[in-house]
Structures are given as structure tokens and as C-alpha cells.
Amino acid sequence: MFRTALRNVLAHKARLLMTVLAVMLGVAFVSGTLVFTNTISNAFQNSSAKGFDQVDVAVQAKYQDGGGDTVGKTPELTQAMLDTSAKVPGAASATGVVNGFTAIADKKGKLIGGGFQSEGGNYWGDKDARYPLTSGAAPHGSGEVAIDSETAKRAGYKVGDTVRISVDGPVLTPRITGIFTTDDGNVTAGGSLALFDTATAQKLFGKAGTYDEIDVKAAAGTSQAALKAHLDSALPKGLTETTTAKKLADDQAETIASSMSGLKQGLLVFAGIALFVGTFIIANTFTMLVAQRTKELALLRAVGASRRQVTRSVLLEAFVVGAVAAVAGLVAGIGIGAGLRALMGTIGATVPDGPLVITGNTVLSALAVGILITMLAAWLPGRRAAKIPPVAAMSSLHATATTKSLVLRNTLGALFSGAGIAVVIAATSMNGSDGQAPMGIGAVLLIIGVFILTPLLSRPLIAASAPVLRIFGISGKLARQNSVRNPRRTAATASALMIGLTLITGMTVMAGSLQQAIDKMASSAISADYIVSMANGNSLSPDVDKTLTTTSGVTATSPLRNAPSRIDGTSEFLTGVNGSAIDKLTDLKVDSGTFKVAGTQVVVDDDTATSRHWKAGSTFTAHYEDGKAQQLTVSAVYEGNELIRGIMLDNATLAPHQTDPADMQILVKTADGASSATKDKLEKALGSNPAVKVQDKKDLSDSIAQVFTLILNMVYGLLAMAVIVAVLGVINTLAMSVFERSQEIGMLRAIGLDRKGIKRMVRLESLVISLFGGVLGIGLGVFFGWAAGELIGAKMATYALVIPWARMALFLLLAGTVGVLAALWPARRAAKLNMLSAIKSE
């Protein structure tokens, strides 16, 4: 039987090729997704990595929880603490570390790094071991800076060039005095690093005379633990905390793994989808393969082979095919993963640079899918064929499925589908994240149920195409009959396309609905023409608001300034605004009271008012960060949203209690309204700063929705493989169908159906099957998009379901195109069959 199986594989090379292709596609889909996910994950991990070669113990300030009416704060690491650290027993040296956001522009004025990570820091003395210089010298004074070698290479900078940089708004133009190398993961991942002398860095980052961290290097013979103990004894108790480099490295690895878990899980969902789709194609191929060999297997039974031997023969063939296909699929999958990685840059996704990652798990997964799934897919049809009595198999009496098996399948499908729909609908009534897991379970149950029911669903849905197919005469009639002749095969062929379009449609429905919700939110909450902010979300210097106020054409501005406070013993952030202009810059719905922000009068969003039992006229005491308290009065309660919420008070009231005021955003109203000319004027007034964004309401909503657009583009990219798999799966099915219907096609030719009619018949059959899968996929996608939207709508008042009719028509057209393309080769092959040879074929 072993020799028989091997000879059988080699004797049918065409059939072997089609089977290997089907298995290879499934493997390529899985391994390509795994290569892509591992590559992206590794790139983000490397971007967060930081070396600890130049530090044995790090000293950091310990946050002081105020408690009661005292606002908590983080103490400063002073020069005295640095001097103390350098003198403790076992310390070789101590370095004061200062860091903050620093944007570097290229020679065209564009932000380097695409907003990924733009950092700044201090160069310690004339020779900093953390940053070895490759050319030039250390920076000294406010007019000098050193930049990393990767940034210099990307932008074409060299020592002596003048560079445009920004820390918190205003543009600076220092001269590059040095270029250095660094092990900072942000830089290797595509970010940038600018270094100033320590005094300049402290001034720029608002930390005059203080440090963010003190890095202490141990003397020879001193362990990290011993040095830590000495520092703990010498430094002020309760104000600082010390951590060894080993602990820092372990914590960093744990933080990176934790931050990457969500991305990994999300992307690995596509690997599961890949496995699901690939299994359909493999199982479908082997079902047809074994069906075509039924008489051959029956002959083996007749000459003495047992059922187990016949089954083992099929499994052995599956093993050989799976092994060959697994290797080919792994190679193809590596290419797919590399292609998807390159695609990310073209669709606007900001992803760190990094090498292509091929792990042992990827290789094992490819082999598992290629061999185990193939053998599993072949086992059931092989076992079914082995159980058929040889005489019945020789006479093909086995072909019709029994009524019992059909009833069982349909009952099982109905139960799964009903349970899935019930769980999904129940999940829509749950609160936000609580409904995510049940909805996922319900979605899986429903997809499995629909897959089981597709043979039953295929008959009425395909029958609905009869009026259109009649236009094509006998070819159309034959195509419809062929499509429903073997419902199980039709269902399995359409399922891969169904799953892909389900996910694509669902994500498109959600993205379109979210975009509209965000647009409504921006237009209903903000009446300002522009919103000014930093590119990375950091705070703006108060000088930016002063510059905008004095710019011609600007009629009103208001910075949105965050400030911590304590109210009734709990922490609460206050939002400082320009009280005299805020009502002109926002269009917030007032639930009660009169919208007035001046002196001690404040306005509060409805959620905060409800949680604190406030209403218009209520009074409360706010304790500021400087320790002083003030009684404030609620003048109005407004309807908050994701853009504007919280307690708003006048900056004139708040500013005296802030030591380092910083604006998160600035709302701007202009005389001429939003236009490209006005936007250019504001950008020029701010020095054409690459780190500062000037956005109108449309820009704002687009930037908020950008994350959803990127996710949607990733989904389209990943699921493009599912569509490719579906195309080749349909080709495979049709080719094998043509092979097994050779005699029938020969008879049709003999009684007068010409070659064009044969081609048309096969093409229409493929088109009908593909549209069947497309209709199911789009229907399920709309249902899942609605259900997911119900969860989102619970937290977003402006959310409403948007059905993308144009996109759905495009997806249906895509399904039809898949059918047409998939039928080209099988239709040509069918038309070229010699009618006499075909009639004589078995």
C-alpha cells in the first residue's frame, strides 16, 4: 500500500499539481501572516528598547501622593542629589539626564521620522560615553546641537549645518557641532535624537537646575546591589527610588511585551482566519480528489485491501502532498510577509524600520498546516470512501448524500447560527468592553453555522439568478444546474470568499460610521476655525498663543490648559480657557444654567456634574497645585463629548496657581474663516514649524479617524490574501470539476453545444458561485458592523450606522470579478477537450 500510494501520487501529476497548489495557498496565507505579525512586533519592540551599558543604578524621583486636599506631585532631582550620588562609596561616576520632545526638520522643512519618535536630551560634558561622536565635537551654548548619525544620514546633514528644531512651539536654528551614534531603539526604528549641553537642555525642557534621572556607574569590584544600597542610604528618604540596570532591563522587556500583546493578538487573528480559509480549500480539494478516485479505491478493496489500508493510503498521499506544499507555502509566505511590510509604508502607516523576522514557530506552523491539516482534511473523505462497499462504489451508487446526513447537517447549522445570532444580539446590550468577548464568540458561532448551512442556502440564492441566466440560453441554464448539483462543493468553494468579504464589509461599515460620528462631533462641539497643537500631542509653549493673538486676521483665541487639582479629597483635572472667548470658539449644548466662564464661575460637563451631584449654582472648593484653595461656582452644565469635556475655568483665575503653564491645544477664530490662505498665514506666523499642527475641523476629524483608516488599510492588505486564496480556490475547484465532468462535456459538444457555449457555461457557473459567496459575506459583514457599532454607540453619542452602499456594490463587483478571472483557465480547458476522447473517459 505504501508503494501504491507513492505511485498513485506520481502517476497523476496534473492532479498532484492542483492539490499542492491548494495546500500551498493555505500554508502561504498562514505563514505570510505570521511573518508579517512577527516583523511588525519585533520592529516596535526594538523601537522601545534601550541599552543600559552606561548605567548600573538609576535614580528617579518618586511621585508624592498628596492625599486629602493636597495635589500630588513628583519632586525634582536637584544638583545636590547628583553630587551626593557621585560621592557614595562604590560609585565611579554619576550623570544627570535631561530629556524631552524635540522635533528636527529636514532641509525641506518636513518633520524627520514622520512623527514616530522625536526626542531630545543632554550631552554630558565634552565626552559622553552614552553617545560616542563619529564627527565634530560636543555642543556648548544655546546655539549648538548634536544629532544622531541615522537622522544626519536620512536628512543629509553634516557638521556645520544649521538645522530647524522645535521643543514646544517656537522654532530654533542651532548649528550642528557633532554627530553621534546611539543604541536608542527609537532612533534605529526611524525616530530622531537631538542633544544640547546640559544647561541648554534644562532651560529648553523647563527643568532649570534639575534632572529627570541620575545614572550612576559602579566602580570596579562594586556590585549593582551594593551600589543601590549605598545610594538608598545617602539620598533623601521617600523622595527618590533607585533601580539596578538589571531590573530596568527586565522591566523594559516586560513593558514591551505587555504593550505589544494587543498588537500581536489583533494581528494573529488574521493568522487564525488564514488557517480557517486554508482548511476550507484543502478539505474541499481532497473531498473532490477522493470522490474522483472512488472507483480506484473500490478496486483496491476488491483485490483484498482493508478499509484501514485504503484510509492509510489516502493519508500517506496527503502527507507527501502536504510536506511538499508546506515547504513551497513557507517560501511563498515569507514573500507575502515581506510584501505586506512594504505595503504598510505605501498606505501611510507609521511603522518602525526593522528586519524581516522568520521564527521557529512560523516554520513549525507552516509544517503543521501543510501536513497535519492536509492529512486531517483527507482523513474524512478517505474514511468515507473506504466504508463504501466495492460493488456500490464501482457502480457510483454512493454519490447521493443520504437524507439523514442532510437533516443532521442542516439541524446542526441552524443551531449554531441561532446561537450565534442570539449571543451577538445579547452582546449589543452590554456595556462597552464587557460585550466584546461575547460578541466575538457569537460571531464565530454564526460564521460556523452559516458555513454548515451554505449547501442549503445555495439552492434558493442561486435559483434567484435564474432570470438573469436565461438571457444566456442553454449555457446559463446548465451553469445554474451545475452550481446546485453538488451543494457541498459549491458551499466550500464560496466559503473562502465569504469569510474575506465578511471581515472587509464589517470593518468598512464600522469605519464609515465612526468617520461620520467624528465629523458630527467636531462640527457640533467646535465653532473655531482652527485647532493648533503639537505633532506628538505634547504641550505648547504659552508663547504660541501670544503669537497667534497678535497675528492679523485672528479675532479670538483660547488655549486649553490642563491643571491638576483636588476636589472633595479626589483628583480632578481643570481645563483653563480664555473665558471671554470660549463661547465664541465652541458650540456646546447647555443642559442647564448660563454658559459663563469668568472669575470664580466655571462650566462643567454633564458626566462630571452627575458623578459629583452638581447642578447650575452649585459651589465647590478646588485645591490647586500650589497648595492654595478657592471656592468656584458652577454657572452651567454642558453636554460633553470626546473632544471637549471637564471643568472649564478662566486662565486668569488658574494661571497664578501654576508654576509651569502649558497649553495642550489652542482654538483659533479668524475673520476670513477656514481657507488654505488663512492656514498658510497662521503657519508662517508660527515660523513654518514642522512640529506644530494647524488643523481645521475637517483636518481634526480626519486625524482622529486616521487610526481607524490605518487599521482598515491593514485589514484590506491582510484580507487581500484571502481574496487571492479565494480566486485560486475557485480555479482549483472548477478545474477539478471540469476534469470529472469530461464525459458530460464531451456529450454536450457532441449534441451541438459549441466551444463558446462550453466556455460561457463554465464562466457563468464560476460567476454564480462567487456572487453567492459575495452576497453571504456582505450580508454577514453588515450584521457584524451593526452589532459592533452598537457597542461603540454606547460611548459615542454621535455614532449612527452608515451603510456604505457604494463600497458594498464594489465588493459585489469584486466577487463577480473573482468568478470571471477564476474561470478563464478552466473554461478554456473545457472548451479544448476532444469530444470523442471525453466521451470515452471514465
Side-chain angles (χ1 to χ4, degrees), residues 232-295:
D232 287 339
S233 300
L235 293 170
K237 296 290 188 293
L239 297 181
T240 61
E241 54 184 354
T242 57
T243 312
T244 63
K246 182 179 184 307
K247 181 68 164 53
L248 287 172
D250 292 343
D251 290 346
Q252 174 182 268
E254 185 178 340
T255 300
I256 292 173
S258 176
S259 63
M260 290 306 303
S261 63
L263 177 64
K264 278 187 174 181
Q265 290 173 9
L267 292 177
L268 284 175
V269 167
F270 292 100
I273 296 167
L275 181 59
F276 205 42
V277 174
T279 302
F280 284 158
I281 292 177
I282 297 168
N284 189 27
T285 300
F286 264 91
T287 299
M288 291 186 295
L289 198 62
V290 172
Q292 291 173 7
R293 293 175 50 206
T294 302
K295 290 185 179 181

Side-chain angles (χ1 to χ4, degrees), residues 272-576:
I273 296 167
L275 181 59
F276 205 42
V277 174
T279 302
F280 284 158
I281 292 177
I282 297 168
N284 189 27
T285 300
F286 264 91
T287 299
M288 291 186 295
L289 198 62
V290 172
Q292 291 173 7
R293 293 175 50 206
T294 302
K295 290 185 179 181
E296 177 187 322
L297 296 175
L299 183 59
L300 289 174
R301 290 287 315 281
V303 296
S306 66
R307 289 183 179 180
R308 288 185 178 181
Q309 286 178 313
V310 170
T311 304
R312 281 200 294 264
S313 166
V314 175
L315 290 177
L316 181 59
E317 183 177 344
F319 176 81
V320 174
V321 169
V324 172
V327 175
L330 176 61
V331 174
I334 293 171
I336 289 171
L340 284 173
R341 175 64 183 84
L343 179 67
M344 294 295 291
T346 64
I347 62 176
T350 303
V351 178
D353 298 329
L356 198 65
V357 178
I358 305 165
T359 65
N361 287 337
T362 300
V363 176
L364 290 176
S365 297
L367 294 175
V369 172
I371 297 174
L372 296 181
I373 298 298
T374 303
M375 293 180 70
L376 181 64
W379 173 77
L380 187 59
R383 183 171 176 270
R384 188 186 299 128
K387 290 174 67 176
I388 299 172
V391 174
M394 295 293 285
S395 59
S396 298
L397 297 176
H398 67 289
T400 305
T402 64
T403 303
K404 180 181 178 181
S405 68
L406 291 175
V407 170
L408 179 62
R409 179 182 181 120
N410 293 337
T411 302
L412 191 62
L415 290 173
F416 268 95
S417 299
I421 292 172
V423 173
V424 168
I425 292 176
T428 60
S429 62
M430 296 182 183
N431 183 23
S433 58
D434 294 339
Q436 292 178 5
M439 185 168 291
I441 294 171
V444 171
L445 290 174
L446 180 55
I447 289 176
I448 293 174
V450 171
F451 172 68
I452 296 172
L453 285 175
T454 39
L456 178 66
L457 296 173
S458 65
R459 290 187 177 277
L461 288 177
I462 292 176
S465 65
V468 178
L469 292 177
R470 286 197 192 102
I471 299 172
F472 300 96
I474 190 65
S475 296
K477 182 178 181 180
L478 290 171
R480 183 180 64 81
Q481 291 174 346
N482 288 334
S483 300
V484 296
R485 179 189 297 181
N486 192 333
R488 292 186 179 183
R489 179 172 22 182
T490 297
T493 305
S495 293
L497 191 59
M498 178 193 78
I499 293 171
L501 284 179
T502 295
L503 294 167
I504 290 174
T505 305
M507 291 296 296
T508 302
V509 169
M510 287 179 59
S513 301
L514 281 169
Q515 180 67 65
Q516 178 176 281
I518 293 167
D519 288 343
K520 284 183 179 178
M521 189 189 305
S523 61
S524 63
I526 298 174
S527 57
D529 295 317
Y530 294 99
I531 301 94
V532 179
S533 61
M534 291 294 284
N536 69 333
N538 277 15
S539 57
L540 289 157
S541 166
D543 293 338
V544 176
D545 181 52
K546 294 176 183 177
T547 300
L548 290 170
T549 302
T550 58
T551 301
S552 64
V554 174
T555 58
T557 68
S558 175
L560 302 181
R561 182 174 298 172
N562 284 348
S565 73
R566 301 282 290 188
I567 299 174
D568 296 331
T570 60
S571 297
E572 188 79 57
F573 270 92
L574 305 175
T575 301

Side-chain angles (χ1 to χ4, degrees), residues 588-818:
L588 299 169
K589 181 182 178 182
V590 178
D591 293 339
S592 61
T594 302
F595 195 96
K596 184 179 181 181
V597 181
T600 59
Q601 292 185 306
V602 302
V603 294
V604 182
D605 71 286
D606 47 358
D607 288 341
T608 303
T610 300
S611 64
R612 291 190 175 273
H613 308 291
W614 292 341
K615 59 183 179 180
S618 296
T619 60
F620 62 91
T621 301
H623 297 265
Y624 300 110
E625 56 185 313
D626 64 352
K628 295 181 180 179
Q630 188 174 36
Q631 189 177 70
L632 303 174
T633 302
V634 178
S635 65
V637 176
Y638 67 91
E639 192 174 294
N641 55 59
E642 282 72 14
L643 294 178
I644 299 179
R645 62 174 61 209
I647 303 171
M648 288 193 282
L649 75 162
D650 197 348
N651 273 327
T653 304
L654 178 63
H657 304 287
Q658 290 186 288
T659 55
D660 186 21
D663 305 328
M664 299 308 297
Q665 292 178 326
I666 300 173
L667 304 180
V668 182
K669 190 82 170 175
T670 60
D672 299 329
S675 67
S676 57
T678 304
K679 184 176 181 179
D680 289 341
K681 183 193 293 185
L682 295 179
E683 288 176 342
K684 288 179 181 178
L686 295 173
S688 299
N689 193 330
V692 176
K693 295 189 298 184
V694 179
Q695 299 174 295
D696 59 22
K697 286 185 279 190
K698 182 65 168 62
D699 294 333
L700 179 64
S701 62
D702 287 346
S703 66
I704 296 173
Q706 185 179 24
V707 62
F708 305 113
T709 304
L710 290 178
I711 293 172
L712 187 62
N713 286 335
M714 286 180 62
V715 170
Y716 283 164
L718 286 166
L719 294 179
M721 288 193 293
V723 175
I724 293 170
V725 170
V727 172
L728 296 173
V730 175
I731 293 174
N732 197 21
T733 301
L734 288 174
M736 288 189 148
S737 177
V738 167
F739 174 80
E740 77 175 13
R741 289 176 6 221
S742 297
Q743 189 177 60
E744 175 188 316
I745 292 171
M747 289 294 296
L748 289 171
R749 289 290 314 283
I751 61 176
L753 190 62
D754 59 12
R755 289 186 175 182
K756 287 185 177 179
I758 294 293
K759 282 185 179 180
R760 190 179 300 118
M761 177 188 72
V762 176
R763 287 171 182 165
L764 288 174
E765 180 183 350
S766 175
L767 180 63
V768 167
I769 292 173
S770 297
L771 288 175
F772 166 57
V775 168
L776 284 181
I778 291 171
L780 285 173
V782 171
F783 175 71
F784 290 139
W786 163 80
E790 289 297 299
L791 288 181
I792 297 171
K795 293 186 176 181
M796 187 179 289
T798 55
Y799 185 90
L801 181 67
V802 175
I803 304 296
W805 296 108
R807 287 282 183 96
M808 286 166 55
L810 183 63
F811 294 156
L812 199 59
L813 179 62
L814 173 64
T817 305
V818 165

Side-chain angles (χ1 to χ4, degrees), residues 215-239:
D215 291 344
V216 186
K217 187 74 175 172
T222 303
S223 67
Q224 292 183 355
L227 178 59
K228 180 180 183 302
H230 291 312
L231 287 167
D232 287 339
S233 300
L235 293 170
K237 296 290 188 293
L239 297 181

